[in-house]
Amino acid sequence: MSDERRDKERFPLPLPVRWEGLSGNYPSRLSDLGLGGCYIETMAHVSADIEINFEIQLPTGFWMPLHGTIVYHQPSLGFGVRFDRLTLMEKNLLARVLEEYGKR
């Protein structure tokens, strides 16, 4: 996805992620993160427009549960997720993580 299509900036931030698909649970890794979404690196097959629940492990070690919609995928590489229904607390936590770790 090009940066022009995003309305929120993303930062390179490799973090562990766990997500569940139709055929099982997947430990994976984020390659970037922003307040609007993230990119999950995985070889698993997914489809666009599917909602998923997943967790990212923050640098503090805390696993943060999130919900989003797969907006695009690159076979054998990964997929982009748009966050859905972030609470104010989730937005604030992500903003703090991005402020501290995302601009390195």
Side-chain angles (χ1 to χ4, degrees), residues 7-69:
D7 62 353
K8 294 184 176 53
E9 187 175 9
R10 295 238 189 124
F11 300 94
L13 193 57
L15 296 171
V17 61
R18 302 185 291 213
W19 62 280
E20 186 172 329
L22 294 176
S23 59
N25 296 319
Y26 299 93
S28 301
R29 178 179 160 139
L30 292 186
S31 63
D32 64 42
L33 177 66
L35 292 177
C38 62
Y39 189 84
I40 297 175
E41 297 174 341
T42 182
M43 293 183 68
H45 178 73
V46 298
S47 299
D49 300 322
I50 301 294
E51 293 184 11
I52 65 165
N53 293 308
F54 59 101
E55 297 178 301
I56 60 173
Q57 187 176 30
L58 301 178
T60 61
F62 173 75
W63 284 93
M64 181 179 184
L66 292 166
H67 181 83
T69 300

